[in-house]
Amino acid sequence: MAVTPALAIDCVYVAARKATECQTGADFDIARLVQASHQVSEAVRRRLMQQFFAGEGVDETMAVLNYAAQNSDETDAGAFAGFVEDPTTAVPVHSVWSDVGGIYSNRSSATSGFVGAMATGSVGVDKQVGQGGVVGLFGGLETSYYDTTSATGAGFLRGNGFSAGAYAGQLLGDNIFANATLGYRQVANSFEIGATGADYWSRSLNASANLTGYYQFDYVRVSPKTGISLSHEWQDGYTETSGAISPAQETTAGIASAGIEAGYTYFTPDGRTIEPWASANLEWLFLNTAAPAPPLSPDPLNSLDLRLGTGVNATISDSVSLSLRGDISGLTTPNYFVVSAGGQLSVRF
């Protein structure tokens, strides 16, 4: 959902350098697809973490979805004991959630520099189904603005858009859950540099799948995770105010990721939990294509990235959960970094 303008200036730079063949920089198109998919996938995955991972931490009465009441007959059935939709109990099986985030990006480059921020917001609703399953729908909005610099001068790039989609999650045994997300995204883009500029639309489909583990050692939680994301974007052709024409373009991106997250559970006097956590992930851009092929970037991004994160998960009440997060990425590309922060609130009923 979010657009990281990793090469926003590349679009402007190429337009000014080769006006008769102005196209958005290939690295920028890939980067924004990757970040858009990551924002949606991670929001959904964290939503399901709050649902699948027991809110009571190491307490014997912890139960899947933070829904189930204590069941003494299932105390040895693993961390996810009690994940049964029982119509005879007053157990909530629906959830609504809201996720907000912000991204600050900074790239120092004489030919492709930028600095700016993006704000995103999404809401969703889901329902427990069958034995250990969840299905849901989501929708979101985004807005961004970036100042850019290039060999030909200063400019700006901005975008406003929306997204919508569906997701599903399923427990696999006692210690692993899988989730998949499919989303559609549409953004109205505009840029200016010097005396020229243009407006255009871009539309994309994003699909992702993740596996997340849950292993509790006293107060310590360890969660290995892996995932894959595929995205395809259709960008409309446009004519600049200078008269230069850029044809329609299609871009495809594929990302594979693997990492680990660890948290430590604290208990409040009233029995609620607070869990600070930290994570590290490697992300590999294994698929990167565009047609027609644009000019190569003079300052490309590295296809292997390191993302470091931290945050806190908390149970506010029996039906309300809160998670806060932050991370930094772009660490493998010189003179480039991206910092993001956000939070998510979910309510069960």
Side-chain angles (χ1 to χ4, degrees):
M1 189 169 57
V3 176
T4 293
L7 286 183
I9 186 61
D10 285 345
C11 170
V12 183
Y13 175 71
V14 171
R17 179 169 60 109
K18 197 171 184 180
T20 59
E21 198 174 301
C22 175
Q23 297 172 340
T24 304
D27 283 343
F28 170 61
D29 290 335
I30 292 294
R32 74 175 183 171
L33 282 177
V34 168
Q35 291 295 330
S37 179
H38 176 80
Q39 285 291 99
V40 172
S41 175
E42 190 65 6
V44 169
R45 195 184 69 84
R46 293 218 166 269
R47 161 71 198 105
L48 293 176
M49 281 186 67
Q50 292 293 303
Q51 188 155 312
F52 285 123
F53 290 166
E56 287 80 10
V58 298
D59 191 337
E60 285 184 340
T61 63
M62 65 184 180
V64 177
L65 303 178
N66 294 331
Y67 293 161
Q70 179 175 356
N71 187 335
S72 60
D73 294 334
E74 297 180 347
T75 55
D76 61 348
F80 301 118
F83 189 98
V84 178
E85 188 172 351
D86 184 354
T88 66
T89 62
V91 176
V93 296
H94 297 88
S95 295
V96 294
W97 55 273
S98 177
D99 189 283
V100 296
I103 300 175
Y104 172 81
S105 303
N106 191 315
R107 190 174 191 201
S108 300
S109 172
T111 57
S112 19
F114 66 88
V115 59
M118 165 172 290
T120 66
S122 59
V123 295
V125 59
D126 54 53
K127 182 182 186 299
Q128 175 185 337
V129 294
Q131 184 74 21
V134 174
V135 294
L137 300 172
F138 69 89
L141 299 172
E142 67 176 72
T143 184
S144 63
Y145 186 94
Y146 297 92
D147 292 318
T148 62
T149 58
S150 74
T152 58
F156 71 81
L157 178 74
R158 65 186 173 206
N160 295 286
F162 70 90
S163 62
Y167 61 92
Q170 177 64 49
L171 289 173
L172 304 176
D174 292 338
N175 301 97
I176 298 174
F177 82 85
N179 74 278
T181 305
L182 178 65
Y184 171 81
R185 174 173 164 269
Q186 183 167 311
V187 180
N189 308 280
S190 64
F191 75 87
E192 286 186 10
I193 182 169
T196 190
D199 301 329
Y200 61 94
W201 286 93
S202 59
R203 302 164 183 85
S204 64
L205 285 176
N206 308 291
S208 63
N210 298 282
L211 290 174
T212 303
Y214 173 88
Y215 300 93
Q216 191 79 36
F217 304 96
D218 293 329
Y219 295 92
V220 176
R221 172 181 62 86
V222 178
S223 294
K225 52 185 178 177
T226 185
I228 188 171
S229 172
L230 295 172
S231 303
H232 190 83
E233 180 179 76
W234 296 265
Q235 178 182 295
D236 290 347
Y238 56 84
T239 301
E240 295 184 54
T241 55
S242 65
I245 297 175
S246 179
Q249 180 172 298
E250 295 187 24
T251 303
T252 304
I255 284 283
S257 64
I260 193 166
E261 179 176 305
Y264 188 93
T265 302
Y266 294 91
F267 295 90
T268 64
D270 60 356
R272 306 306 173 192
T273 63
I274 299 175
E275 185 202 45
W277 56 266
S279 65
N281 295 276
L282 285 176
E283 300 176 352
W284 173 42
L285 178 65
F286 67 87
L287 179 62
N288 181 345
T289 65
L296 295 176
S297 166
D299 197 3
L301 298 178
N302 197 318
S303 61
L304 186 65
D305 194 17
L306 173 65
R307 186 184 298 270
L308 301 177
T310 188
V312 61
N313 300 324
T315 56
I316 298 177
S317 70
D318 291 339
S319 61
V320 180
S321 298
L322 173 69
S323 64
L324 303 175
R325 66 185 184 276
D327 65 48
I328 182 170
S329 58
L331 300 175
T332 62
T333 299
N335 303 315
Y336 172 56
F337 68 93
V338 180
V339 178
S340 66
Q344 186 176 110
L345 184 69
S346 62
V347 180
R348 296 170 294 282
F349 61 96

